[in-house]
């Protein structure tokens, strides 16, 4: 009997180890292939050039700028909305069938294929609101896409805070808003951040909804600068600019005739992976700093 | 509480963006932007022309090119969202109706040839040519599950599995090949390896001795060492795909013209007019560079004349047709 249990134990350990090795190995292999094929293509010229029919002269600049700006719009719109919605659901909303319904819907939304969001955005933002195929449209679309993920993870983070903290705050005469803004949000910030970064990492690699709303492939200029020489010095014109993003540029290169563009595609892929890693790294660092500050 | 301040900053930033929205909405679109979208087959050509055109104008005129596909391009075109549509097939009836409904007249300008190439692996020693009849026998829907061996096509070919590769059902390549070979667009057997990415097909055909597949000429021209093209006998002798044979009109029925459709309204803008002129004069050189087949000089001349004289409409009438010489398309009375 005892030997059987020990055997089971060993077997489970082996299975677990194999799964881990498979997951990490695949990732390592993919990353390694990208590095081997793409690393030597990444140089200053590649980062600062526009697309071209000559593989050696082609660059990633518009896609890089496009992806960055869209992520900016997505975070600025999606994160406050998502966090606020989650706080309301968790702290303010009374438990009725309506909130139950909202809860189920939000959880389901997190699993909806991204192309559906693209179709919704095409109808809503592009045609009804009339924003066209712009950076703003793309940012709003991806904001919608990350909203459910942000809401779900924020709620999880908030729920992890002991109820005693809130009760203590109320006992000292704090209002609900004071309790939420002084205690609940700061204490759950680390968890919220993890969710946000996971969501943004997903969004940066999205192609389907961006193609649906009309992203371009060849675009040899940058959006207008956000800072201008004339008052009011800040320009939001870049929000309405046409754009392309990294995954689309990558796909365009992969599907070209011949092999000249393969290393460009690999380099773009590598850059995309690095961008995601940097975002994740930043989040882990900030989370570490925040955890240290929380003292109950 | 620094984190609280951080949260407030976020809320403030959100407000700024929301308040900032009306500002860009008031501003009109930039007047010097030429919007192009459509077929991914035509994309490399338009990209090359757009690149050179922007260089020639020192960045004063901006051109954007998308790859929504021929169908997606026409949809946007007929809604008036873009100035030029790239197309690997002529405009269809329902698209004509949509354009008409929205009052959009268009120039139909052929810009290059594509020669659909039937290819086998270089390791394949027995195939050098095939007739259209034989291709039909392989690809028609009735062949599904029945024609599975090489010796079913010609008895002196080996008794080996036939591995088929072809274009995905959403591409213009699939429409044209099935129309030209089987006789009806989109009518094909289903049991073959299909991919929208033609590089996948190149790899599949190269590695398998028993493979047979079809792809756009540019993919074959870029990888001649990896593929062996099959000469096609339409009505006469078997003919290999090449720029020469396509221009002579002997590579039939698999040579197809590629088009750009220019909105009449947009063509009144000087920058769009300049771009189209540039496409039809400087384009041929660039087209050879991206491994497509330029039209005969005469055909470009006819296209330029048609554009200059303001002759709008299509030479097809909404029905796909195969094997038409470009000159004939251009001399037909155009329909709207």
């Amino acid at each position: 009997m005892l030997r059987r249990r020990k055997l089971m134990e060993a077997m489970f350990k082996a299975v677990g180890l194999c799964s881990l090795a498979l997951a990490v190995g695949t990732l390592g292999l993919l990353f390694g292939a990208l590095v081997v094929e793409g690393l030597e293509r990444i140089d200053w010229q590649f980062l600062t050039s526009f697309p071209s029919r000559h593989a050696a002269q082609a660059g990633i600049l518009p896609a890089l700028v496009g992806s960055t700006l869209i992520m900016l719009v997505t975070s600025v719109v999606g994160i406050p909305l998502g966090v606020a919605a989650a706080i309301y659901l968790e702290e303010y909303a009374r438990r009725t069938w309506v909130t139950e319904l909202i809860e189920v819907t939000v959880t389901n939304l997190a699993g909806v294929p991204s192309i559906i969001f693209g179709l919704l955005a095409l109808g809503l933002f592009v045609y009804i609101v009339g924003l066209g195929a712009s950076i703003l449209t793309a940012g709003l679309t991806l904001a919608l896409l990350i909203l459910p993920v942000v809401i779900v993870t924020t709620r999880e983070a908030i729920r992890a805070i002991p109820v005693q903290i809130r009760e203590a705050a109320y006992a000292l005469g704090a209002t609900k808003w004071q309790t939420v803004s002084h205690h609940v949000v700061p204490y759950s910030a680390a968890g919220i951040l993890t969710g946000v970064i996971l969501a943004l990492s997903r969004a940066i690699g999205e192609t389907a909804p961006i193609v649906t709303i009309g992203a371009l492939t060849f675009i040899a200029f940058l959006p207008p600068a956000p800072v201008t020489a004339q008052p009011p010095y800040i320009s939001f014109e870049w929000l309405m600019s046409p754009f392309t993003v990294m995954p689309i540029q990558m796909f365009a290169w992969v599907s070209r005739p011949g092999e000249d563009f393969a290393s460009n595609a690999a380099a773009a892929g590598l850059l995309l992976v690095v961008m995601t890693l940097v975002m994740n790294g930043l989040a882990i660092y900030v989370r570490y700093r925040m955890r240290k500050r929380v003292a109950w | 509480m620094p984190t609280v301040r951080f949260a407030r900053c976020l809320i403030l930033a959100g407000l700024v963006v929301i308040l900032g929205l009306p500002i860009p909405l008031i501003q009109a679109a930039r007047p010097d932007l030429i919007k192009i979208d459509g077929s991914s087959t035509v994309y490399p050509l338009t990209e090359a022309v757009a690149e050179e055109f922007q260089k020639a104008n020192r960045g004063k005129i901006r051109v954007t090119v998308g790859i929504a596909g021929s169908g997606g391009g026409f949809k946007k075109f007929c809604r008036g969202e873009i100035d030029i549509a790239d197309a690997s097939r002529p405009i269809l009836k329902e698209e004509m109706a949509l354009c008409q409904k929205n009052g959009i007249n268009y120039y139909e300008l052929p810009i290059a040839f594509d020669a659909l190439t039937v290819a086998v692996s270089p390791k394949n020693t027995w195939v050098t040519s095939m007739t259209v009849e034989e291709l039909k026998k392989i690809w028609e829907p009735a062949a599904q599950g029945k024609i599975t061996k090489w010796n079913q096509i010609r008895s002196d070919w080996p008794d080996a599995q036939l591995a088929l590769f072809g274009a995905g059902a959403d591409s213009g390549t699939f429409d044209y090949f099935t129309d030209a070979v089987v006789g009806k667009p989109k009518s094909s057997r289903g049991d073959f390896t299909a991919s929208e990415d033609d590089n996948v097909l190149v790899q599949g055909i190269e590695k398998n001795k028993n493979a047979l597949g079809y792809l756009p000429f540019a993919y074959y021209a870029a990888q001649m060492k990896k593929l062996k093209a099959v000469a096609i006998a339409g009505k006469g002798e078997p003919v290999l795909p090449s720029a020469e044979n396509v221009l002579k009109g002997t590579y039939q029925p698999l040579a197809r013209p590629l088009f750009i459709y220019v909105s009449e309204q947009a063509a009144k803008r000087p920058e769009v007019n300049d771009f189209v002129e540039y496409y039809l004069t400087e384009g041929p050189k660039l087209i050879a560079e991206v491994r497509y087949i330029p039209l005969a000089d005469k055909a470009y001349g006819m296209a330029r004349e048609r554009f200059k004289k303001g002759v709008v409409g299509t030479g097809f009438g909404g029905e796909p047709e195969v094997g038409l010489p470009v000159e004939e398309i251009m001399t037909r009375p155009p329909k709207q």
Side-chain angles (χ1 to χ4, degrees), chain B residues 286-308:
Chain B
L286 303 169
I287 284 165
E289 216 177 292
V290 290
R291 302 192 188 96
Y292 280 70
I293 303 164
L295 307 173
D297 289 340
K298 191 182 161 209
Y300 283 114
M302 289 168 88
R304 275 199 298 273
E305 203 178 285
R306 170 174 275 216
F307 185 60
K308 210 171 273 163

Side-chain angles (χ1 to χ4, degrees), chain A residues 41 43 45-46 49 52-59 260-261 263-264:
Chain A
R41 188 66 191 81
D43 52 19
Q45 179 273 328
F46 185 70
S49 294
S52 163
R53 67 182 183 285
H54 304 291
Q57 289 170 24
D260 349 346
F261 281 89
S263 67
N264 284 21

Side-chain angles (χ1 to χ4, degrees), chain A residues 9-33:
Chain A
E9 171 83 24
M11 263 168 65
F12 183 73
K13 212 168 151 187
V15 168
L17 205 67
C18 283
S19 312
L20 181 72
L22 197 71
V24 174
T26 319
L27 190 70
L29 217 65
L30 276 175
F31 194 64

Side-chain angles (χ1 to χ4, degrees), chain B residues 156-178:
Chain B
D156 55 337
W157 283 347
D159 180 19
Q161 271 304 318
L162 185 62
L164 293 172
F165 292 83
D170 285 335
S171 75
T173 309
F174 177 77
D175 291 359
Y176 192 89
F177 184 83
T178 46

Side-chain angles (χ1 to χ4, degrees), chain A residues 52-54 76 127 131 136 181 186 214 216-218 220-221 236-237 240 254-260 290, chain B residues 4 17 21 24-25 27 30 43 47-48 51-52 54 62 64-65 67 79 81 199 218-219 222 226 286 289:
Chain A
S52 163
R53 67 182 183 285
H54 304 291
V76 167
Y127 292 130
L131 295 178
L136 182 62
S181 62
L216 297 156
T217 316
F218 176 83
F221 55 87
F236 281 100
E237 216 184 317
M240 300 313 287
V254 165
S255 57
R256 278 187 86 105
E259 281 170 341
D260 349 346
M290 281 181 172
Chain B
V4 176
V17 166
L21 285 190
L25 287 180
Q27 283 159 351
R30 304 179 79 88
Y43 172 75
E47 184 202 44
E51 187 187 353
E52 288 307 312
Q54 286 195 120
R62 298 168 158 197
T64 63
V65 191
I67 40 172
R79 276 203 212 109
E81 289 166 28
N199 286 319
Y219 289 84
K226 294 186 172 179
L286 303 169
E289 216 177 292

Side-chain angles (χ1 to χ4, degrees), chain B residues 7 13 35 37 57-58 63 66 69 89-90 93 102 108 123 168 185 199 244 253 262 280 282 314 317 319 328 336:
Chain B
K35 290 190 201 162
D37 210 331
N57 284 287
R58 289 161 209 272
V63 186
R89 57 160 174 79
K93 272 224 173 80
N102 294 330
E108 179 183 68
K123 286 182 265 176
N199 286 319
E244 236 190 334
V262 186
L280 295 174
E282 303 297 315
T314 170
E319 298 292 342
E328 194 195 320
Q336 273 300 329

Side-chain angles (χ1 to χ4, degrees), chain B residues 64-86:
Chain B
T64 63
V65 191
I67 40 172
S70 294
F74 276 128
K75 228 174 260 167
K76 290 184 180 183
F77 182 75
C78 291
R79 276 203 212 109
E81 289 166 28
I82 53 174
D83 306 318
I84 297 172
D86 287 342

